Amino acid sequence: MSDRPTILITGAAQRIGLHCARRFVADGYRVLITCRQPRPEWQQQPLEGIEVLVADFATIEGIERLIDTLVERDIRLRALIHNASVWLNDEGEADALQAMFMVHMQAPYLMNLASDRLFDPQVTGDIIHISDHVAQRGSARHIAYSASKAGLEAISLGFAARLAPRIKVNSIAPALIMFNDGDSEEYRERALAKSALGFEPGPEVVYQSIRYLMDNPYVTGTCLDLNGGRNLK
Ligand SMILES: NC(=O)C1=CN([C@@H]2O[C@H](COP(=O)(O)OP(=O)(O)OC[C@H]3O[C@@H](n4cnc5c(N)ncnc54)[C@H](OP(=O)(O)O)[C@@H]3O)[C@@H](O)[C@H]2O)C=CC1
Ligand SMILES: Nc1nc2c(c(=O)[nH]1)N=C([C@H](O)[C@@H](O)CO)CN2
């Protein structure tokens, strides 16, 4: 049984989640991540200090299977980071809203409802939801995505009221953090021009925000803007 505080980050096999997982390991935490498919490269280059749990939030059964695994193994969390996400625009499949509802709302909702079985009752815990700047403003190109993230923020507020003072519950609302490999130069320039600071910060700013929320004992029920001054333009 590890005596290091345990962090669970959902959907952390890549990008922001994996960066934060590695930073938590470096800072001395026991780290669990979820993914739908372990990466082949992990055969040759295992994720040092990170335990991988396979979980797909597309179905309630998949979410409940993860919860059951955590409970059966008596894993007691210091923090739960709801990072998993699928970023779909409105031009695709008819079930896009349903798919994002499952990942952005159903999974955090059911996992948070199980928090009495997932968190160490002796330690003040944290639940942090990774939302998006567009949740409170809408997005003409990602209507369903932004709506599902707005629902996530409402879930965060409800659990903040319900779980205090044992567990602090907050959201982080990033704007551009890191581009995807296929993003064109034109797209990148357009995205960078949307914020006052105008640069791609990279995932460390999300880790800094998570640690601020975890390390500050007097913050719950908030949503931390992380948008480079996008609201100023
Ligand atoms: N990147 C950015 O600039 C911004 C990101 N955000 C938010 O920050 C968070 C991290 O972003 P980023 O790293 O780009 O995220 P990704 O787009 O890389 O997705 C994160 C992970 O979500 C997991 N996921 C997707 N669908 C499911 C599912 N059905 N069940 C379980 N897991 C699933 C995937 O895991 P796997 O593939 O292993 O199954 C994926 O690796 C997200 O919540 C995102 O919305 C907000 C604003 C800007
Ligand atoms: N799950 C994801 N959500 C978001 C992503 C992403 O790559 N995966 N990317 C963005 C964009 O960076 C946007 O903020 C600016 O182009 C938003 N959400």
Side-chain angles (χ1 to χ4, degrees):
M1 183 72 167
S2 167
D3 56 1
R4 288 168 294 148
T6 302
I7 310 291
L8 172 62
I9 312 176
T10 65
Q14 62 189 39
R15 295 165 56 80
I16 293 173
L18 183 56
H19 174 84
C20 293
R22 286 177 165 145
R23 294 284 283 107
F24 273 118
V25 170
D27 284 348
Y29 289 83
R30 177 191 179 200
V31 178
L32 287 78
I33 67 170
T34 77
C35 68
R36 289 169 296 179
Q37 291 288 335
R39 289 355 187 212
E41 63 267 23
W42 296 346
Q43 292 297 318
Q44 304 305 321
Q45 296 170 301
L47 297 177
E48 291 294 319
I50 298 172
E51 181 177 351
V52 179
L53 301 174
V54 175
D56 188 339
F57 302 149
T59 66
I60 286 181
E61 294 72 22
I63 300 164
E64 290 180 334
R65 199 172 301 124
L66 173 65
I67 294 168
D68 292 346
T69 298
L70 294 166
V71 171
E72 282 156 16
R73 290 182 51 189
D74 197 23
I75 289 172
R76 293 290 175 158
L77 300 175
R78 164 65 186 82
L80 170 57
I81 316 294
H82 293 295
N83 171 77
S85 170
V86 51
W87 188 40
L88 302 174
N89 63 31
D90 303 306
E91 317 311 320
E93 301 299 318
D95 67 349
L97 177 56
Q98 176 66 25
M100 291 183 282
F101 167 82
M102 291 304 292
V103 182
H104 298 161
M105 293 182 65
Q106 185 76 71
Y109 174 69
L110 291 179
M111 293 181 75
N112 293 354
L113 278 181
S115 59
D116 58 323
R117 294 176 289 153
L118 298 179
F119 278 79
D120 181 343
Q122 306 305 321
V123 176
T124 299
D126 280 273
I127 296 175
I128 297 171
H129 306 85
I130 311 298
S131 181
D132 190 304
H133 169 78
V134 298
Q136 292 307 317
R137 292 153 185 80
S139 166
R141 292 187 177 84
H142 294 86
I143 297 169
Y145 167 83
S146 61
S148 65
K149 289 286 192 176
L152 178 64
E153 289 189 15
I155 283 171
S156 187
L157 289 171
F159 280 101
R162 181 181 178 124
L163 300 180
R166 191 167 60 84
I167 300 175
K168 298 184 278 118
V169 184
N170 293 286
S171 298
I172 297 168
L176 171 68
I177 299 296
M178 57 191 299
F179 288 113
N180 281 283
D181 293 341
D183 290 341
S184 68
E185 274 314 304
E186 191 270 336
Y187 174 85
R188 292 169 188 249
E189 283 171 25
R190 202 170 66 235
L192 292 172
K194 289 180 181 175
S195 75
L197 296 181
F199 71 97
E200 177 193 19
E204 179 63 11
V205 298
V206 177
Y207 184 70
Q208 290 170 331
S209 302
I210 289 171
R211 290 307 305 265
Y212 161 72
L213 292 171
M214 282 180 61
D215 299 347
N216 191 311
Y218 201 50
V219 179
T220 195
T222 69
C223 183
L224 191 60
D225 280 342
L226 184 64
N227 62 32
R230 179 155 170 192
N231 47 304
L232 302 174
K233 296 200 74 169

